[in-house]
Amino acid sequence: MLRLDGVTKVFRTGVFGRATFTAVSDVTFHVEQGEIVSLIGESGSGKTTVGRMVLRLTRATEGAVTVDGRDVAELGRTDVRTYYGSVQGIFQDPFSSYNPVFKVDRVLGMIRANYLQGLSDADWKTKVRGSLEAVGLEQADVLGKYPHQLSGGQLQRLLIARALMLELRFLVADEIISMLDASTRIDVLNLLGDLKARGLGVLFVTHDLALGNYISDRTVILRRGRVVEMGATPKVFGSPAHPYTRMLLTSVPHLSAKWGEDEIEAPTPSSLEEAPDGPLQPIDDDHFVATRGER
Amino acid sequence: MAAAGQQADLLATPEVALTGEGATGEGGAPRGARSELLHFAIRNPKLVIGLSVVLAFLTLAIVGPWLTDATPFEFGYPLGEPPSKEHWLGTTSPGQDVYAQFVYGLRSSFIVGALAAAVAAVLGMAIGFVSGYLGGVVDEVLSMLTNIVLVIPTLAVLIIVSAYLSVGSLFSEAMLIGLTSWPWAARAIRAQTFSLGSRDFVSLARLSGQGTVKVIVREIAPNMSSYLFLTFILLFGGSVLTAATLDFLGLGPSQVMSLGLMMNNAVSNAALQLGMWWWFIPPGVGITAIVGGLYVMNVGLDEVFNPRLRRT
Amino acid sequence: MTLVVDNLRVYYRTLRGDVKALDGVTFDVADGEIMGIAGESGCGKTTLGKSLIRLDGRMRVVEGTVTLDGVRMPIEDDRAMNEYRFCDVSIVPQYAMSALNPIRKIGRMISELLSARGVSYDETFPELSRRLALVGLGDDVLERYPIELSGGMKQRVVMVLSTLLNPSLLIADELTSALDVSTQKAVAEMLVEFRDRGFVKSTIVITHDLSVLYQIADTILVMYAGKLVEKAPAAELTASPKHPYTQLLLGSLPEVGVRFEEKRLTGIPGRPPSLLNPPQGCRFRARCPLAFDKCAEEPPFTEVAPGRYAACWKAAA
């Protein structure tokens, strides 16, 4: 299980680093294998920072990110490599995720060089073919090409294939489809669903509620670095308790109902301003909401 | 979030419409990009002119000495003669062949320029990359070091050091210049490394278990190759100029002919007042043309590498 | 009729030949209409938006005319278009937030812009103040630098600025793509409000997001590979699309309420054709589940039902 316990991240800014900026504050939730948890927030909510902390690309200031009880920040050099053998990440911009100077095969090659050294050439080819098939890519279409020759959808799928070559247990997917065209988005998303069925745990970071609702089992709503509502997706989306969640849901443009016509009541600006963001309290089985409390 | 829109805009332009979401995938990245670069390079006047000038003098530096039997320090020729058939650039007051001095001097300038630039480039890259990629305490220490060396008035230091150490060879002169001109290169490279290091493919390399050195060498440096090239050319130009200055002040190696030394001799022998233009004009023109040519070439190269500066 | 576009063909010059980004587009926008242009990347919608105001030097108008309020717009000529920009045709670009000069106070920038148009800042000030108040900003915004404003505030400033001289046509290019969902709603509603108050006559909203268009547009135009494929009133298009591409596109959008376990949505396999050498016949043919022999001949964009246009042999049937 991947757990975050009271995780806080404070950045130092300004001259001589005197000013501070708290990106993430006291965030606690967990992700099990075989489930998809979506981390939903607008810009500035800290969701990408949370993803980066899980991937050890940045260190938590307080609190701990643990996988099966081991704090990821405390891992030594070789343990980090092992960690990346079971936890991987995929980012938002497919074209930025590939080094433009090399062919796309290299992202797979790096995995081979660092994790699958013992594999014979024949076994490697089989493994590559298998991973590509699992994500719906044709070998001839993608291997030997440069990143700019492929589409965003193909690039993202190749990254998923890369992650699959390892004995992956958790995947952090940070806005992985927001830069893809609508017609390819859903295929990549469905892929995540299939991987979940195979036992992968996914932290799906997004700002798009419709996607979160479609694919995730549980949802965590983040606002300004704090968790304001969390729980089973049907409950959070079906009966949103926090004003911020209600605001998000009423702002999403639908294809069948105009703004203002849906059943959810939009919060008033004042209730939004005064919305609580203290410790979480359960309001139902697997449904938590922030309450008033000390910061 | 802004990045999402950025991508949509990028895809709307034809360059990416040819690739990205609507391509037939013709050509590979380096092959296609290289020929495109070459296409623009040939058509850029600054690059072509600058490069031609530098190459012309380089050719002269290599081939020139083969065309004469005279050596720069050899005495015995007619005193202070203007250019003639036997002495293409005339002779100096004490009777040395100016042409020989000039072409051997060109050789020295190129050698010192290249060597000093190489030293400064290596130092600048090492410190810039490490500082930019690792950040934190390492960056603070290295930046402090860079700033200190940057702030020191280089020429004053070089003058003092040269006076005390009596620079005997081109090699030591090049070393001295190289060891004092790396800071701005380090700062520039550090800044670029910062921005490249935040790109997703660098994060992905880290997630693939790549170590720091590998990441710098294989992910960051190749994506800065044009920038590194430009930096080297600027360092080259700067070193030639600094060496000429030192030589002119008489602080360079005295047993090796250089353009600056030529000018030093010309001035101390009152060549200007005596109207011996064949003695002081060639070295002046040589230095100006080489350094100027390199800088102009640099501006042209920047336009070639950076599509946004091009005026199609 | 505010805007009439007739057989517009805009190509981009590149080293490898002409990219036929916009290949024969004809439509019109009525007074007071908000028309949404939807499509995926590479379909030509941004090229269309930019060509109406000629904002990109690389494009070449090969054929076609654009007429605004009965006046033919010189869209081939960058200089000539300058006369029309801002007062007759205005654009709110994609990164409006970055369109503000960081070293100018907002008020100063606006006065410079107005004086370049020969309009007095002092005379316009009361109206400017009114409009800023309308979008929820005070006059103090004029004394601030862009860096002091949030993304949403900057977006609103740019919108007020772009419509200050009451242009006949406003082009909003991917206005909401880079925004949070709450700001997106505010900005979209602002577009409608500006139209309702008469600040702009007609609006063209370019986006890939069909759901936003359903919320605010009167008519939606769908584009694919440089051509128009469907045009219909917004509600009718989303409820009963006639072109297979529109149908598949709508089918791939997850609405809040649809879950993976219950209904697995599918995308559209394949990729749009290259615009360097587009295929003959219907450009969607290779990916269309309904394709048959007649599709080798390009279907015309015609009225298949009252007020409904589509470029498909099956839709016409």
PDB file of all heavy atoms in Angstrom, chain B residues 264-288:
ATOM      1  N   ASN B 264      53.485  45.384 -30.274  1.00  0.00           N
ATOM      2  CA  ASN B 264      54.348  45.899 -29.216  1.00  0.00           C
ATOM      3  C   ASN B 264      55.652  46.411 -29.834  1.00  0.00           C
ATOM      4  O   ASN B 264      56.083  47.549 -29.589  1.00  0.00           O
ATOM      5  CB  ASN B 264      54.628  44.771 -28.221  1.00  0.00           C
ATOM      6  CG  ASN B 264      55.495  45.221 -27.064  1.00  0.00           C
ATOM      7  OD1 ASN B 264      56.274  46.170 -27.172  1.00  0.00           O
ATOM      8  ND2 ASN B 264      55.370  44.541 -25.949  1.00  0.00           N
ATOM      9  N   ASN B 265      56.269  45.573 -30.649  1.00  0.00           N
ATOM     10  CA  ASN B 265      57.529  45.962 -31.295  1.00  0.00           C
ATOM     11  C   ASN B 265      57.332  47.168 -32.181  1.00  0.00           C
ATOM     12  O   ASN B 265      58.155  48.088 -32.196  1.00  0.00           O
ATOM     13  CB  ASN B 265      58.075  44.796 -32.132  1.00  0.00           C
ATOM     14  CG  ASN B 265      58.514  43.636 -31.253  1.00  0.00           C
ATOM     15  OD1 ASN B 265      58.762  43.821 -30.072  1.00  0.00           O
ATOM     16  ND2 ASN B 265      58.590  42.450 -31.830  1.00  0.00           N
ATOM     17  N   ALA B 266      56.258  47.148 -32.926  1.00  0.00           N
ATOM     18  CA  ALA B 266      56.004  48.257 -33.856  1.00  0.00           C
ATOM     19  C   ALA B 266      55.887  49.567 -33.092  1.00  0.00           C
ATOM     20  O   ALA B 266      56.486  50.582 -33.475  1.00  0.00           O
ATOM     21  CB  ALA B 266      54.727  47.984 -34.648  1.00  0.00           C
ATOM     22  N   VAL B 267      55.136  49.551 -32.010  1.00  0.00           N
ATOM     23  CA  VAL B 267      54.947  50.779 -31.233  1.00  0.00           C
ATOM     24  C   VAL B 267      56.243  51.219 -30.585  1.00  0.00           C
ATOM     25  O   VAL B 267      56.612  52.399 -30.621  1.00  0.00           O
ATOM     26  CB  VAL B 267      53.842  50.578 -30.170  1.00  0.00           C
ATOM     27  CG1 VAL B 267      53.878  51.705 -29.148  1.00  0.00           C
ATOM     28  CG2 VAL B 267      52.495  50.482 -30.828  1.00  0.00           C
ATOM     29  N   SER B 268      56.994  50.245 -30.008  1.00  0.00           N
ATOM     30  CA  SER B 268      58.236  50.675 -29.347  1.00  0.00           C
ATOM     31  C   SER B 268      59.266  51.164 -30.344  1.00  0.00           C
ATOM     32  O   SER B 268      60.198  51.873 -29.985  1.00  0.00           O
ATOM     33  CB  SER B 268      58.832  49.570 -28.478  1.00  0.00           C
ATOM     34  OG  SER B 268      58.385  48.320 -28.849  1.00  0.00           O
ATOM     35  N   ASN B 269      59.118  50.773 -31.601  1.00  0.00           N
ATOM     36  CA  ASN B 269      60.043  51.289 -32.614  1.00  0.00           C
ATOM     37  C   ASN B 269      59.456  52.460 -33.374  1.00  0.00           C
ATOM     38  O   ASN B 269      59.926  52.801 -34.458  1.00  0.00           O
ATOM     39  CB  ASN B 269      60.411  50.169 -33.598  1.00  0.00           C
ATOM     40  CG  ASN B 269      61.469  49.252 -33.012  1.00  0.00           C
ATOM     41  OD1 ASN B 269      62.630  49.630 -32.884  1.00  0.00           O
ATOM     42  ND2 ASN B 269      61.060  48.060 -32.627  1.00  0.00           N
ATOM     43  N   ALA B 270      58.412  53.054 -32.827  1.00  0.00           N
ATOM     44  CA  ALA B 270      57.790  54.260 -33.386  1.00  0.00           C
ATOM     45  C   ALA B 270      57.378  54.066 -34.835  1.00  0.00           C
ATOM     46  O   ALA B 270      57.498  54.964 -35.663  1.00  0.00           O
ATOM     47  CB  ALA B 270      58.739  55.444 -33.265  1.00  0.00           C
ATOM     48  N   ALA B 271      56.878  52.859 -35.127  1.00  0.00           N
ATOM     49  CA  ALA B 271      56.489  52.590 -36.514  1.00  0.00           C
ATOM     50  C   ALA B 271      55.385  53.530 -36.977  1.00  0.00           C
ATOM     51  O   ALA B 271      55.309  53.900 -38.146  1.00  0.00           O
ATOM     52  CB  ALA B 271      56.028  51.128 -36.632  1.00  0.00           C
ATOM     53  N   LEU B 272      54.508  53.884 -36.059  1.00  0.00           N
ATOM     54  CA  LEU B 272      53.394  54.762 -36.410  1.00  0.00           C
ATOM     55  C   LEU B 272      53.914  56.110 -36.891  1.00  0.00           C
ATOM     56  O   LEU B 272      53.544  56.600 -37.957  1.00  0.00           O
ATOM     57  CB  LEU B 272      52.507  54.948 -35.174  1.00  0.00           C
ATOM     58  CG  LEU B 272      51.074  55.398 -35.433  1.00  0.00           C
ATOM     59  CD1 LEU B 272      50.332  54.289 -36.146  1.00  0.00           C
ATOM     60  CD2 LEU B 272      50.370  55.695 -34.115  1.00  0.00           C
ATOM     61  N   GLN B 273      54.825  56.677 -36.064  1.00  0.00           N
ATOM     62  CA  GLN B 273      55.343  57.998 -36.422  1.00  0.00           C
ATOM     63  C   GLN B 273      56.165  57.951 -37.696  1.00  0.00           C
ATOM     64  O   GLN B 273      56.167  58.867 -38.484  1.00  0.00           O
ATOM     65  CB  GLN B 273      56.216  58.561 -35.296  1.00  0.00           C
ATOM     66  CG  GLN B 273      55.420  59.032 -34.087  1.00  0.00           C
ATOM     67  CD  GLN B 273      55.049  57.879 -33.163  1.00  0.00           C
ATOM     68  OE1 GLN B 273      55.163  56.716 -33.540  1.00  0.00           O
ATOM     69  NE2 GLN B 273      54.588  58.195 -31.974  1.00  0.00           N
ATOM     70  N   LEU B 274      56.862  56.815 -37.893  1.00  0.00           N
ATOM     71  CA  LEU B 274      57.717  56.698 -39.068  1.00  0.00           C
ATOM     72  C   LEU B 274      56.942  56.285 -40.313  1.00  0.00           C
ATOM     73  O   LEU B 274      57.529  56.109 -41.362  1.00  0.00           O
ATOM     74  CB  LEU B 274      58.835  55.678 -38.802  1.00  0.00           C
ATOM     75  CG  LEU B 274      59.826  56.117 -37.721  1.00  0.00           C
ATOM     76  CD1 LEU B 274      60.814  55.006 -37.415  1.00  0.00           C
ATOM     77  CD2 LEU B 274      60.564  57.379 -38.152  1.00  0.00           C
ATOM     78  N   GLY B 275      55.642  56.103 -40.133  1.00  0.00           N
ATOM     79  CA  GLY B 275      54.831  55.784 -41.309  1.00  0.00           C
ATOM     80  C   GLY B 275      55.069  54.387 -41.834  1.00  0.00           C
ATOM     81  O   GLY B 275      54.808  54.090 -43.003  1.00  0.00           O
ATOM     82  N   MET B 276      55.525  53.454 -40.969  1.00  0.00           N
ATOM     83  CA  MET B 276      55.787  52.088 -41.437  1.00  0.00           C
ATOM     84  C   MET B 276      54.521  51.265 -41.343  1.00  0.00           C
ATOM     85  O   MET B 276      54.415  50.345 -40.540  1.00  0.00           O
ATOM     86  CB  MET B 276      56.903  51.457 -40.598  1.00  0.00           C
ATOM     87  CG  MET B 276      58.212  52.201 -40.742  1.00  0.00           C
ATOM     88  SD  MET B 276      59.432  51.575 -39.578  1.00  0.00           S
ATOM     89  CE  MET B 276      59.985  50.146 -40.453  1.00  0.00           C
ATOM     90  N   TRP B 277      53.514  51.604 -42.151  1.00  0.00           N
ATOM     91  CA  TRP B 277      52.173  51.018 -42.046  1.00  0.00           C
ATOM     92  C   TRP B 277      52.207  49.494 -42.216  1.00  0.00           C
ATOM     93  O   TRP B 277      51.397  48.783 -41.656  1.00  0.00           O
ATOM     94  CB  TRP B 277      51.240  51.646 -43.094  1.00  0.00           C
ATOM     95  CG  TRP B 277      51.763  51.536 -44.495  1.00  0.00           C
ATOM     96  CD1 TRP B 277      52.546  52.431 -45.149  1.00  0.00           C
ATOM     97  CD2 TRP B 277      51.594  50.434 -45.368  1.00  0.00           C
ATOM     98  NE1 TRP B 277      52.859  51.980 -46.396  1.00  0.00           N
ATOM     99  CE2 TRP B 277      52.273  50.749 -46.563  1.00  0.00           C
ATOM    100  CE3 TRP B 277      50.918  49.209 -45.297  1.00  0.00           C
ATOM    101  CZ2 TRP B 277      52.316  49.896 -47.647  1.00  0.00           C
ATOM    102  CZ3 TRP B 277      50.960  48.364 -46.384  1.00  0.00           C
ATOM    103  CH2 TRP B 277      51.666  48.712 -47.547  1.00  0.00           C
ATOM    104  N   TRP B 278      53.201  48.978 -42.966  1.00  0.00           N
ATOM    105  CA  TRP B 278      53.222  47.533 -43.239  1.00  0.00           C
ATOM    106  C   TRP B 278      53.570  46.736 -41.979  1.00  0.00           C
ATOM    107  O   TRP B 278      53.439  45.531 -41.963  1.00  0.00           O
ATOM    108  CB  TRP B 278      54.223  47.210 -44.331  1.00  0.00           C
ATOM    109  CG  TRP B 278      55.614  47.685 -44.021  1.00  0.00           C
ATOM    110  CD1 TRP B 278      56.590  47.010 -43.386  1.00  0.00           C
ATOM    111  CD2 TRP B 278      56.149  48.968 -44.330  1.00  0.00           C
ATOM    112  NE1 TRP B 278      57.708  47.786 -43.247  1.00  0.00           N
ATOM    113  CE2 TRP B 278      57.477  49.022 -43.831  1.00  0.00           C
ATOM    114  CE3 TRP B 278      55.666  50.128 -44.954  1.00  0.00           C
ATOM    115  CZ2 TRP B 278      58.290  50.122 -43.950  1.00  0.00           C
ATOM    116  CZ3 TRP B 278      56.494  51.232 -45.076  1.00  0.00           C
ATOM    117  CH2 TRP B 278      57.791  51.236 -44.583  1.00  0.00           C
ATOM    118  N   TRP B 279      54.013  47.428 -40.927  1.00  0.00           N
ATOM    119  CA  TRP B 279      54.402  46.741 -39.719  1.00  0.00           C
ATOM    120  C   TRP B 279      53.259  46.655 -38.721  1.00  0.00           C
ATOM    121  O   TRP B 279      53.042  45.604 -38.122  1.00  0.00           O
ATOM    122  CB  TRP B 279      55.571  47.503 -39.079  1.00  0.00           C
ATOM    123  CG  TRP B 279      56.314  46.701 -38.047  1.00  0.00           C
ATOM    124  CD1 TRP B 279      56.064  45.428 -37.602  1.00  0.00           C
ATOM    125  CD2 TRP B 279      57.454  47.143 -37.324  1.00  0.00           C
ATOM    126  NE1 TRP B 279      56.964  45.048 -36.666  1.00  0.00           N
ATOM    127  CE2 TRP B 279      57.843  46.094 -36.470  1.00  0.00           C
ATOM    128  CE3 TRP B 279      58.195  48.337 -37.326  1.00  0.00           C
ATOM    129  CZ2 TRP B 279      58.930  46.202 -35.622  1.00  0.00           C
ATOM    130  CZ3 TRP B 279      59.281  48.429 -36.474  1.00  0.00           C
ATOM    131  CH2 TRP B 279      59.632  47.367 -35.637  1.00  0.00           C
ATOM    132  N   PHE B 280      52.520  47.800 -38.563  1.00  0.00           N
ATOM    133  CA  PHE B 280      51.493  47.740 -37.515  1.00  0.00           C
ATOM    134  C   PHE B 280      50.093  47.465 -38.036  1.00  0.00           C
ATOM    135  O   PHE B 280      49.226  47.054 -37.289  1.00  0.00           O
ATOM    136  CB  PHE B 280      51.500  49.007 -36.648  1.00  0.00           C
ATOM    137  CG  PHE B 280      51.199  50.285 -37.399  1.00  0.00           C
ATOM    138  CD1 PHE B 280      49.896  50.689 -37.644  1.00  0.00           C
ATOM    139  CD2 PHE B 280      52.241  51.089 -37.851  1.00  0.00           C
ATOM    140  CE1 PHE B 280      49.645  51.873 -38.322  1.00  0.00           C
ATOM    141  CE2 PHE B 280      51.984  52.262 -38.523  1.00  0.00           C
ATOM    142  CZ  PHE B 280      50.690  52.659 -38.774  1.00  0.00           C
ATOM    143  N   ILE B 281      49.851  47.703 -39.323  1.00  0.00           N
ATOM    144  CA  ILE B 281      48.492  47.445 -39.828  1.00  0.00           C
ATOM    145  C   ILE B 281      48.164  45.954 -39.937  1.00  0.00           C
ATOM    146  O   ILE B 281      47.108  45.535 -39.475  1.00  0.00           O
ATOM    147  CB  ILE B 281      48.242  48.184 -41.157  1.00  0.00           C
ATOM    148  CG1 ILE B 281      48.075  49.679 -40.858  1.00  0.00           C
ATOM    149  CG2 ILE B 281      47.006  47.642 -41.841  1.00  0.00           C
ATOM    150  CD1 ILE B 281      47.566  50.483 -42.004  1.00  0.00           C
ATOM    151  N   PRO B 282      49.008  45.091 -40.516  1.00  0.00           N
ATOM    152  CA  PRO B 282      48.632  43.667 -40.619  1.00  0.00           C
ATOM    153  C   PRO B 282      48.261  43.030 -39.284  1.00  0.00           C
ATOM    154  O   PRO B 282      47.204  42.395 -39.191  1.00  0.00           O
ATOM    155  CB  PRO B 282      49.873  43.024 -41.228  1.00  0.00           C
ATOM    156  CG  PRO B 282      50.538  44.111 -41.993  1.00  0.00           C
ATOM    157  CD  PRO B 282      50.287  45.370 -41.208  1.00  0.00           C
ATOM    158  N   PRO B 283      49.069  43.162 -38.218  1.00  0.00           N
ATOM    159  CA  PRO B 283      48.635  42.503 -36.978  1.00  0.00           C
ATOM    160  C   PRO B 283      47.322  43.077 -36.461  1.00  0.00           C
ATOM    161  O   PRO B 283      46.462  42.334 -35.972  1.00  0.00           O
ATOM    162  CB  PRO B 283      49.772  42.770 -35.993  1.00  0.00           C
ATOM    163  CG  PRO B 283      50.597  43.856 -36.576  1.00  0.00           C
ATOM    164  CD  PRO B 283      50.389  43.823 -38.035  1.00  0.00           C
ATOM    165  N   GLY B 284      47.142  44.392 -36.572  1.00  0.00           N
ATOM    166  CA  GLY B 284      45.881  44.995 -36.111  1.00  0.00           C
ATOM    167  C   GLY B 284      44.704  44.452 -36.879  1.00  0.00           C
ATOM    168  O   GLY B 284      43.692  44.045 -36.291  1.00  0.00           O
ATOM    169  N   VAL B 285      44.854  44.446 -38.182  1.00  0.00           N
ATOM    170  CA  VAL B 285      43.774  43.925 -39.031  1.00  0.00           C
ATOM    171  C   VAL B 285      43.517  42.460 -38.710  1.00  0.00           C
ATOM    172  O   VAL B 285      42.370  42.018 -38.600  1.00  0.00           O
ATOM    173  CB  VAL B 285      44.140  44.100 -40.529  1.00  0.00           C
ATOM    174  CG1 VAL B 285      43.234  43.241 -41.389  1.00  0.00           C
ATOM    175  CG2 VAL B 285      44.033  45.545 -40.939  1.00  0.00           C
ATOM    176  N   GLY B 286      44.605  41.730 -38.518  1.00  0.00           N
ATOM    177  CA  GLY B 286      44.459  40.292 -38.221  1.00  0.00           C
ATOM    178  C   GLY B 286      43.624  40.052 -36.984  1.00  0.00           C
ATOM    179  O   GLY B 286      42.658  39.291 -36.997  1.00  0.00           O
ATOM    180  N   ILE B 287      43.997  40.731 -35.895  1.00  0.00           N
ATOM    181  CA  ILE B 287      43.254  40.522 -34.640  1.00  0.00           C
ATOM    182  C   ILE B 287      41.802  40.952 -34.796  1.00  0.00           C
ATOM    183  O   ILE B 287      40.880  40.223 -34.420  1.00  0.00           O
ATOM    184  CB  ILE B 287      43.909  41.319 -33.493  1.00  0.00           C
ATOM    185  CG1 ILE B 287      45.301  40.778 -33.235  1.00  0.00           C
ATOM    186  CG2 ILE B 287      43.072  41.230 -32.244  1.00  0.00           C
ATOM    187  CD1 ILE B 287      46.103  41.648 -32.314  1.00  0.00           C
ATOM    188  N   THR B 288      41.621  42.145 -35.343  1.00  0.00           N
ATOM    189  CA  THR B 288      40.253  42.658 -35.494  1.00  0.00           C
ATOM    190  C   THR B 288      39.409  41.735 -36.354  1.00  0.00           C
ATOM    191  O   THR B 288      38.272  41.420 -36.003  1.00  0.00           O
ATOM    192  CB  THR B 288      40.277  44.039 -36.154  1.00  0.00           C
ATOM    193  OG1 THR B 288      41.261  44.840 -35.514  1.00  0.00           O
ATOM    194  CG2 THR B 288      38.922  44.701 -36.049  1.00  0.00           C
TER     195      THR B 288
END
